[in-house]
Amino acid sequence: MTDTINAGITHGLYTEGEPIADTKAPAGPIAQMWTTRRFEAALVNPANRRKLDVIIVGTGLAGGSAAATLGEAGYNVKSFCFQDSPRRAHSIAAQGGINAAKNYKEDGDSVYRLFYDTVKGGDYRSRETNVYRLAEVSANIIDQCVAQGVPFARDYGGLLDNRSFGGVQVSRTFYARGQTGQQLLIGAYQALERQVAAGTVTTYTRHEMLEVVVVDGRARGIIVRDLVTGEIETHLADAVVLASGGYGNVFFLSTNAMGSNVTASWRAHRKGAYMANPCYTQIHPTCIPVSGEHQSKLTLMSESLRNDGRIWVPKNREDCDKDPRDIPEEDRDYYLERIYPSYGNLVPRDIASRQAKNVCDEGRGVGPKVGDFRRGVYLDFADAIERLGQEAVSEKYGNLFDMYARITGEDPYKVPMRIYPAVHYVMGGLWVDYDLQSSIPGLFVAGEANFSDHGANRLGASALMQGLADGYFVLPNTIRDYLAKAPFEPVTADHPEVVAARQSVQSRTERLLAINGERSVDSFHRELGQVMWEYCGMERSEEGLLKAIDLIRGLREEFWRNVRVLGAADTLNQSLERAGRVADFLELGELMCIDALHRRESCGGHFRVESQTEDGEALRHDDEYAYVAAWESTGGDGFGELGTPVLHKEDLVYEAIQLKQRSYK
Amino acid sequence: MNLTLKIWRQPGPRHQGSMQTYKVTDISEDMSFLEMLDILNEQLNAKGEEPIAFDSDCREGICGSCGLMISGKAHGPEKTTTCQLHMRSFTDGEVITVEPWRANAFPVIKDLVVDRGAFDRIIQAGGYISVNTGSAPEANAAPVPKPHADRAFMAAECIGCGACVAACPNASAMLFMGAKVTHLSELPQGQPERDARVVSMVDQHDHEGFGGCTNVGACSQACPKGIPQDVISTLNKDLRAALRR
Ligand SMILES: Cc1cc2nc3c(=O)[nH]c(=O)nc-3n(C[C@H](O)[C@H](O)[C@H](O)COP(=O)(O)OP(=O)(O)OC[C@H]3O[C@@H](n4cnc5c(N)ncnc54)[C@H](O)[C@@H]3O)c2cc1C
Ligand code: SF4
Ligand code: FES
């Protein structure tokens, strides 16, 4: 097997470097670690905090909460986002809920149980110490948000209500109808605006970070483009925090907001920050399917629908374009109930997603043809409506049914809904230690942008928890240890490293505008997305990934020769913004494929065809792959040349939890 | 379907703008209004004309980025956001006008993009509860009666899109502000700053150049989140009470 593991190396796609490890988590029992670390982290006296500048890129749950908290502490904070208001960050779209080990239901929940469930849900590919801390601070998040006025669901006694989520056996998810992300973000946004009024935080909206400034090995600032005037600005600071979100949009179609991108992380990666587990993507089984070539994004529908809906496709391909109501019971294949009799339609997200793709690939998908395929399966409520009555069903799911009807123009009370899996969330991201510091000193990474606490999969409701844990509680404590070392060497805008960073932004912009080729930015993005979904999506094979790498390289070469970006550099220019992001996606896509290629095991939602059990189920290899893959960039010219990445392995050590294989049948 | 679009083009804040006419063909009724504009932009790009600038991000009706006056209506003919408006709401051959939000407090940046920074400044004036991180009491320490929790939630649904302002003949932001004031006033946590909040937010509102509310009701008609007009009554009641004290 070692031969194939080294396929990437033998193909010259990457080389292997020194192993790495987290050196910041203190020794001792896991339950004491965070207390110890907080105590040991050096203090900064209040008078000195005013003199320290911190830049925070991103105003989602992670960045917004971090900026508010560091502002309250008295640091001089500059907060950046590309939207017109911090309140519009992508976190706003999260629907389901946020986990916390409050044990309000007295159902046996505890910090340890949340910790355990999260490590297991991550298929034992997350770092134990970080996850424990996440579970530990989770309860404080709820207190904080309630104090801010976040209107969580309440019961008739006026106390907070919970629901269970994603197959967990306890009820620990706090929610605000289907708008949990919005309500949490508004809470953080209001705390942030309060600091703006207090003068500790300055917000820079419609500003996009395009480069990190690294001086003497430390992150000392960023270069941004004012998206309204086009001006390239330099902002210097004592520390930089990236909370710039996930990169699921590399797939073009995803449930992410249109603007979500990898640029901030990718620029940092090019400057020396390691990118960890980039191929770990979470795919969500219940999205509204693609309806045509024009589609710009996919809409998620709550997974709770699987509690009452039955999933099926026709047994025979010929029936696929029939009205589903005319297909008799015996001609329907309730494939999840058939293959997984004990879990049925409630199998975990990855299984439900992969089986849906399989039946569609077999040609049994339903709904409109997009390309050569119909990509949809039925989620049928006819039985539930008969059993419970339409009123009860509408009570439970009414808002989702309305949303579905508005988007598809079909009435789900009469015709079965159609669903299909979609890319939703990424667990990979910049490598960080226990302090959330990247491999560049002074560069911290929070929220979805870091490789995070999620390993290879995700349970519902843990990403919001991680974003707020990082921003409100973890980062403000760990960054002070770094800032206590200040004052650092003063840096001015004419420092050669600053000038060079500015220059590289300028030349990229000029280059993009000068190409004036034939193809639009979107057409490249769509094509990249298709390649990624086909070969680096739910199912991966060595052959497919090698092919994808070739295709991406070709596409990248064409991009830098043939893209057409109109308009000028000194005005609002949305095509230029997108072009820069797609250029970075084109590089990230290759690294994702290399990462997927070298990980010759099925784990989390990632099915490697070379690694399956006799009955076709995912097979993990703990003996060979219980590590984080952290990739170092070796440069390349930045105009389509990637260089040969270097793989550094961080061994995952499980002391509090024992590794186990999963079984779904 | 085939459509004629009359779209406001304006190269920059200090430039004159004008309506331009474009034709689009083969539009599927499953497209959202913004996807239809994406297609038009691809066509413009192919012809070497600069694409039309408009704001959008989530494209699922929650971030509040998008917002267009479509044939004179904020967010168009349906009670939803522009990104969730689908082409099946239009008929083949229709002539549709597309303009940016209209209000002095929302200056045009380019084409259909406006500056809604005034909303953030209204929130800065007091649209929050002052609590530092780490000092929060246990979440269940202050129960909230269900009717209050429900009304707070209803008001908290505002996405800050600005349709209420664009629809109002006075360009008043009272619905937006009423939503925030109601959200926080309904909760026990919001009481200590209740008076100061409403006074300072209303001051900021007037300072930004939004107009006064004359109870026209166009705001709640246009609001994609169904924020009812009675949040404005709550705002006025709170304001009167605060000024009396
Ligand atoms: C539809 C949907 C539903 C979800 N539901 C749930 C759920 O129920 N529970 C759960 O736990 N998780 C859920 N998730 C996942 C969760 O929403 C995200 O992981 C989380 O919100 C990410 O937060 P963040 O703060 O890290 O980043 P984001 O909220 O993505 O914020 C990124 C910020 O960075 C800024 N930014 C990015 N690049 C730059 C740049 N170059 N320059 C300047 N600014 C930049 C953006 O402007 C933005 O402010 C859901 C995700 C989706 C897509
Ligand atoms: S009140 Fe309604 S229309 Fe006004 S900003 Fe809020 S959501 Fe938009
Ligand atoms: S794009 Fe977010 S509400 Fe329309």
Side-chain angles (χ1 to χ4, degrees), chain A residues 460-483:
Chain A
S462 43
L464 298 181
M465 170 169 70
Q466 185 228 341
L468 290 180
D470 285 2
Y472 282 132
F473 300 108
V474 179
L475 189 80
N477 276 295
T478 58
I479 204 172
R480 75 181 149 84
D481 186 59
Y482 179 81
L483 290 171

Side-chain angles (χ1 to χ4, degrees), chain B residues 54-102:
Chain B
F54 63 89
D55 266 331
S56 80
D57 202 17
C58 73
R59 296 213 175 177
E60 50 184 276
I62 192 76
C63 73
S65 296
C66 64
L68 302 172
M69 292 302 280
I70 299 169
S71 297
K73 290 205 159 129
H75 290 304
E78 314 282 338
K79 207 176 168 75
T80 186
T81 54
T82 306
C83 57
Q84 291 288 287
L85 173 68
H86 287 79
M87 296 314 292
R88 65 182 79 89
S89 302
F90 300 88
T91 46
D92 192 19
E94 207 172 320
V95 180
I96 306 172
T97 59
V98 190
E99 295 162 274
W101 282 167
R102 289 174 295 205

Side-chain angles (χ1 to χ4, degrees), chain A residues 42-53 70-76 200 480 483-484:
Chain A
L43 298 176
V44 182
N45 98 42
N48 284 345
R49 291 183 209 158
R50 273 193 299 279
K51 294 179 216 147
L52 290 167
D53 298 329
L70 290 170
E72 285 161 21
Y75 298 101
N76 189 10
T200 62
R480 75 181 149 84
L483 290 171

Side-chain angles (χ1 to χ4, degrees), chain A residues 554-574:
Chain A
L555 200 59
R556 211 162 54 217
E557 184 278 323
E558 187 186 347
F559 177 88
W560 284 104
R561 181 169 48 75
N562 196 24
V563 73
R564 170 181 285 183
V565 185
L566 298 170
D570 61 352
T571 66
L572 183 86
N573 186 339
Q574 294 172 329

Side-chain angles (χ1 to χ4, degrees), chain A residues 58-59 61-62 82-83 90-91 96-97 209 255 425 448 458 461 463-464:
Chain A
T59 60
L61 287 180
F82 61 73
Q83 290 92 349
H90 163 64
S91 293
M209 172 201 145
T255 61
Y425 171 75
E448 196 174 335
R458 189 196 67 143
L464 298 181

Side-chain angles (χ1 to χ4, degrees), chain A residues 188-367:
Chain A
Y189 157 74
Q190 288 175 185
L192 177 72
E193 296 299 348
R194 170 175 167 244
Q195 292 309 309
V196 173
T200 62
V201 177
T202 311
T203 45
Y204 295 82
T205 57
R206 292 198 198 269
H207 276 69
E208 182 155 38
M209 172 201 145
L210 296 173
E211 201 53 85
V212 200
V213 173
V214 180
V215 176
D216 295 332
R218 288 173 191 273
R220 295 302 304 274
I222 58 174
I223 309 291
V224 299
R225 178 166 182 271
D226 177 332
L227 299 180
V228 175
T229 63
E231 196 175 330
I232 307 291
E233 301 170 3
T234 304
H235 294 270
L236 299 172
D238 296 285
V240 176
V241 179
L242 298 187
S244 47
Y247 50 76
N249 276 350
V250 65
F251 292 90
F252 188 73
L253 284 178
S254 82
T255 61
N256 285 230
M258 300 296 286
S260 295
N261 66 87
V262 77
T263 290
S265 304
W266 193 252
R267 297 285 111 211
H269 171 60
R270 297 297 231 135
K271 277 278 167 82
Y274 295 172
M275 181 63 93
N277 298 339
C279 80
Y280 286 176
T281 308
Q282 191 180 60
I283 289 163
H284 200 290
T286 50
C287 294
I288 299 178
V290 180
S291 63
E293 308 282 353
H294 58 271
Q295 197 133 348
S296 57
K297 74 155 278 174
L298 298 174
T299 302
L300 181 76
M301 298 243 286
S302 170
E303 219 178 349
S304 61
L305 290 170
R306 289 201 280 146
N307 285 320
D308 284 304
R310 295 182 70 194
I311 296 174
W312 63 276
V313 290
K315 279 188 181 153
N316 310 310
R317 283 178 209 194
E318 308 81 75
D319 290 347
C320 288
D321 52 1
K322 276 197 189 149
D323 184 326
R325 290 166 295 188
D326 298 339
I327 302 175
E329 218 32 52
E330 65 271 18
D331 289 336
R332 301 177 177 193
D333 180 9
Y334 294 91
Y335 57 92
L336 290 177
E337 298 169 35
R338 170 171 59 81
I339 312 175
Y340 307 95
S342 59
Y343 277 77
N345 295 302
L346 290 175
V347 289
R349 285 184 178 178
D350 51 325
I351 300 277
S353 299
R354 190 155 57 82
Q355 293 300 356
K357 180 173 188 292
N358 285 349
V359 292
C360 293
D361 287 352
E362 279 168 26
R364 293 193 290 143
V366 296

